[in-house]
Amino acid sequence: MWKLKLSEGNCEHDPWITSMNNHIGRQFWEFDPNLGTPEERQQVNKLRNDFTENRFLTKHSSDLFMRLQFAKENACEMKQLPQVKVKDEEEICDEQVVSTTLRRAMRFYSSLQAEDGFWPGDYGGPLFLLPGLVVGLFVTGALNAILTVEHRREMIRYLYNHQNRDGGWGLHIEGCSTMFCTALSYVTLRLLGETMDGGDDGAMEKARKWILDRGGVTSIPSWGKMWLSVLGVYEWSGNNPLPPEIWLPPYFLPFHPGRMWCHCRMVYLPMSYLYGTRFVGPFNSLILSLRKELYTLPYHYIDWDHARNLCAKEDLYYPHPMIQDILWGCLHKIGEPLVMKWPFSKLRHNALKTVMQHIHYEDENTQYICIGPVNKVLNMICCWVEDPNSEAYKRHLSRIKDYLWLAEDGMKMQGYNGSQLWDVTLAVQAILATDLVDECGSTLKKAFSFLKNTQVREDCTGDLNYWYRHISKGGWPFSTPDNRWPVSDCTAEGLKAAILLSQLPSNIVGEAIQENQLYDAVNVILSLQNSTGGFASYELTRSYAWLEMINPAETFGDIIIDYQYVECTSAAIQGLKSFMKSYPGHRRKEIEASIEKAIEFIESKQQPDGSWYGSWGVCFTYGTWFGIKGLVACGITYENSNSIRKACDFLLSKQLGSGGWGESYLSCQNKVYTNLEGNKSHLVNTAWAMISLIEAGQAHRDPIPLHRAAKVLINSQMENGDFPQQEIMGVFNKNCMISYSAYRNIFPVWALGEYLNRVLLPSKNC
């Protein structure tokens, strides 16, 4: 059986792993053939089979393996707290119903907390991540050494479980089939040992037919072309240029990669190295077979120059403007032939050397975790190309397990090494909203310890300007400090949570955080504000939106620069406001000026219908929650603000007949509010809308919409105190969804806590 390991480095057996905080927050799965009773193994197999049988109806796993393990190690008792339900005709008027629901929810959720204070969980969803890892391990010869038979079996299970009825795979687990993920998933299954006719009900044949019916993989998007070229089943001449020389011009040029969004530049950095070296993995019979399986023409007849700009219609979210095709054409036909010949080949040599320096800097400063899974694998390949026996490559291999997560649907690759810090900051605020501090003291104490252990305490090494890095001392990352990339909203939410916990008695939650650590966090937040008043994600916005015209990734939108977001700006306002109340003398004028500009930014981003577009969650309910929270934190109210009134009107107009809200991921793609299929409600959307309306004073005007919404949350609670996993709720780059598995527990608790203490109890006192 598999076992989830937490906050372990395994340093005795693996000397290549290092950590900045003794691995606190680390999560990975290991297989133990001797683990589990026959009954437990039978239960695990039943969970797997149940998911497979219902995979077209329920596409999101529920982290049942993790829950099974915690139920055994940290069982929670519910006998004294019987489940409650609210009948349709009943109005919620008994605060005991809500209080019991909250106590049951917190008793269960506390049982999922690690001893080091975080809540482990699934951060998967995108389907293009796992193929990159398998390709990377295959071309470097480490596939079977790193991925055991059990790993490979679970990865195969995962891919088959998320194959669509038409034979293809979507960009994410809920998406319609795309050439990008269909081709890569098919190739991955072949590399993992599946035959051409493998899978139940002809799964591999269906996948191949899906690809060939659309003309073969020549129409795969640019990221897919790159992966297949590395593998040797696509020619580099069929790629648009990714010249490493772009890293050599001076930084003041607006198109310098150092000015790009960090995720974008850290992916295209190793891509440019692989393109510049034209690296191709080892050739064998499987590669030769794939060259036949994936195309409608013999491989040597394919017009690779024509294939450069092909993209399947199913994948085309961001079409190339004509200027981009002209640019790539010139580089391909003129620039590349030049740098292949002396003396210009010296330029290529210097560019590749510079790129590798930046790759090593990223690796070393992130303990070889890197900013994300795509550049982690690409950096690993580059280190192997440079030196197959290098220490850097070995350190990369040791960190692969940090990205792998196991659930009843199989083994997936996550979009980060977890969402540990982000989840803890939100969970703390949700628990405090319940006013059950005495009952949740142990949970809060462990969470506070994790917060203190996860703050980044040092800037990255060397000259930050040379390496295009922002300051990081005092910031909080999305996951763990080993990741080393602080985020604006994570820092702001971390600051909020730390201040809230520091105000509680130390005998309950432990010692308060040091003032200088809070000062450092404030310094990071203030340093991230742009002249427009808005906050981007990781860094300042360093260049111009018009650069999006050279976005080469047909599948994703808004990737070139670090745009400014309502969510990040609202979080910054709330964090700074919270700090200013507790420390009114520290940089007060700067903070007040920052907040004033941030308010203007948020108001400027409001849609005509009163909503805000959410860039990191689904979607308008998420963005509007942040929009309202940010404004209300500054004393702006329904009575004195047209923005708040419009936002409330928007939310109320989207409430469903059931009393809840339910927003589809299609809202993110199409930028138009779209209900879930069948007008289903969703716990998380409902909670966001509830919290927003409570913040805006809805209880004083008309509490009925809040009563109806609370009934949806209460009646959704499961017998064991858990809440069900529903549709996917996270998003990035407009078009790709990602799982925030803790949201199902955090936000119903937060919303019901606010409802109990700010709606029901005040009305009773009146």
Side-chain angles (χ1 to χ4, degrees), residues 240-258:
N240 277 320
L242 293 168
E245 288 78 14
I246 195 174
W247 288 86
L248 298 179
Y251 179 77
F252 69 77
L253 295 173
F255 57 80
H256 190 283

Side-chain angles (χ1 to χ4, degrees), residues 130 133-134 137 143 147-161 188-189 192 400 404 406 409-413:
L130 184 60
L133 173 63
V134 173
L137 291 174
L143 183 65
L147 302 182
T148 65
V149 172
E150 289 79 17
H151 281 90
R152 298 197 296 274
R153 182 183 297 122
E154 292 302 325
M155 289 176 176
I156 290 169
R157 187 193 316 278
Y158 178 74
L159 290 172
Y160 281 141
N161 272 333
T188 300
L189 285 165
L192 291 172
I400 285 172
L404 300 179
L406 184 75
D409 59 341
M411 180 165 278
K412 62 205 76 177
M413 193 172 195

Side-chain angles (χ1 to χ4, degrees), residues 542-601:
R542 296 176 174 179
S543 199
Y544 308 97
W546 56 259
L547 275 176
E548 205 65 39
M549 72 174 66
I550 62 168
N551 172 6
E554 306 89 341
T555 310
F556 307 111
D558 290 358
I559 71 165
I560 296 296
I561 63 171
D562 201 347
Y563 291 89
Q564 295 154 49
Y565 301 101
V566 167
E567 301 102 301
C568 297
T569 305
S570 170
I573 288 175
Q574 295 173 61
L576 291 174
K577 267 289 184 183
S578 176
F579 174 82
M580 196 162 62
K581 289 177 183 176
S582 298
Y583 302 92
H586 184 78
R587 301 176 72 172
R588 185 179 185 90
K589 289 185 178 179
E590 290 176 71
I591 292 172
E592 287 176 340
S594 172
I595 290 172
E596 186 176 344
K597 289 198 300 181
I599 291 171
E600 293 176 3
F601 175 84

Side-chain angles (χ1 to χ4, degrees), residues 122-408:
D122 176 6
Y123 190 60
L127 290 175
F128 60 90
L129 302 177
L130 184 60
L133 173 63
V134 173
V135 169
L137 291 174
F138 181 86
V139 299
T140 61
L143 183 65
N144 293 336
I146 299 300
L147 302 182
T148 65
V149 172
E150 289 79 17
H151 281 90
R152 298 197 296 274
R153 182 183 297 122
E154 292 302 325
M155 289 176 176
I156 290 169
R157 187 193 316 278
Y158 178 74
L159 290 172
Y160 281 141
N161 272 333
H162 293 289
Q163 186 177 22
N164 291 330
R165 290 183 190 271
D166 63 4
W169 282 265
L171 186 63
H172 53 89
I173 57 175
E174 293 186 16
C176 297
S177 298
T178 61
M179 181 64 75
F180 183 26
C181 288
T182 301
L184 288 184
S185 296
Y186 178 88
V187 166
T188 300
L189 285 165
R190 295 286 279 123
L191 296 179
L192 291 172
E194 291 295 277
T195 61
M196 288 178 61
D197 57 355
D200 294 337
D201 300 321
M204 290 294 280
E205 292 177 357
K206 287 179 182 177
R208 191 164 59 253
K209 183 177 185 301
W210 194 98
I211 295 167
L212 297 177
D213 284 351
R214 287 154 182 81
V217 298
T218 50
S219 63
I220 196 171
S222 57
W223 282 29
K225 295 180 194 296
M226 182 276 306
W227 282 120
L228 295 182
S229 297
V230 167
L231 183 61
V233 297
Y234 193 98
E235 292 298 304
W236 280 111
S237 58
N239 289 256
N240 277 320
L242 293 168
E245 288 78 14
I246 195 174
W247 288 86
L248 298 179
Y251 179 77
F252 69 77
L253 295 173
F255 57 80
H256 190 283
R259 295 183 174 275
M260 294 177 181
W261 182 40
C262 53
H263 274 284
C264 178
R265 73 171 182 266
M266 300 316 282
V267 166
Y268 282 102
L269 174 74
M271 278 188 184
S272 73
Y273 184 86
L274 296 173
Y275 176 83
T277 58
R278 301 298 198 275
F279 169 73
V280 179
F283 191 81
N284 59 22
S285 59
L286 177 56
I287 301 303
L288 180 62
S289 181
L290 284 170
R291 287 184 173 189
K292 297 175 182 177
E293 296 167 36
L294 297 171
Y295 297 96
T296 57
L297 291 174
Y299 191 78
H300 59 283
Y301 285 167
I302 295 169
D303 183 346
W304 296 108
D305 184 53
H306 176 69
R308 283 188 302 109
N309 292 315
L310 292 181
C311 181
K313 68 180 189 305
E314 292 85 355
D315 298 72
L316 195 58
Y317 184 73
Y318 182 81
H320 289 177
M322 184 182 296
I323 189 171
Q324 193 178 138
D325 291 338
I326 294 172
L327 172 63
W328 303 143
C330 291
L331 287 173
H332 179 72
K333 297 178 187 302
I334 301 172
E336 280 301 307
L338 275 177
V339 296
M340 293 297 186
K341 298 176 181 178
W342 191 88
F344 299 104
S345 56
K346 288 185 176 181
L347 192 65
R348 174 59 51 94
H349 175 77
N350 290 337
L352 292 173
K353 183 178 178 181
T354 298
V355 165
M356 277 309 303
Q357 289 174 347
H358 283 273
I359 287 172
H360 288 312
Y361 183 84
E362 159 74 348
D363 291 345
E364 291 163 9
N365 277 277
T366 62
Q367 315 299 314
Y368 292 82
I369 290 173
C370 301
I371 195 174
V374 177
N375 83 307
K376 190 265 186 303
V377 175
L378 290 170
N379 284 13
M380 179 186 77
I381 299 172
C382 292
C383 290
W384 186 86
V385 173
E386 184 186 45
D387 179 1
N389 298 310
S390 66
E391 177 182 311
Y393 176 63
K394 293 172 184 174
R395 290 188 182 278
H396 265 297
L397 292 177
S398 295
R399 281 295 194 173
I400 285 172
K401 63 175 66 175
D402 293 61
Y403 278 99
L404 300 179
W405 186 261
L406 184 75
E408 64 272 20

Side-chain angles (χ1 to χ4, degrees), residues 425-464:
T425 64
L426 298 177
V428 165
Q429 294 175 74
I431 296 168
L432 294 178
T434 68
D435 203 21
L436 298 175
V437 172
D438 290 339
E439 297 181 33
C440 301
S442 173
T443 301
L444 290 170
K445 185 175 185 177
K446 288 188 286 187
F448 199 11
S449 175
F450 181 78
L451 277 172
K452 289 182 281 191
N453 281 315
T454 308
Q455 188 178 23
V456 177
R457 307 305 300 275
E458 298 175 356
D459 288 330
C460 290
T461 58
D463 182 351
L464 298 184

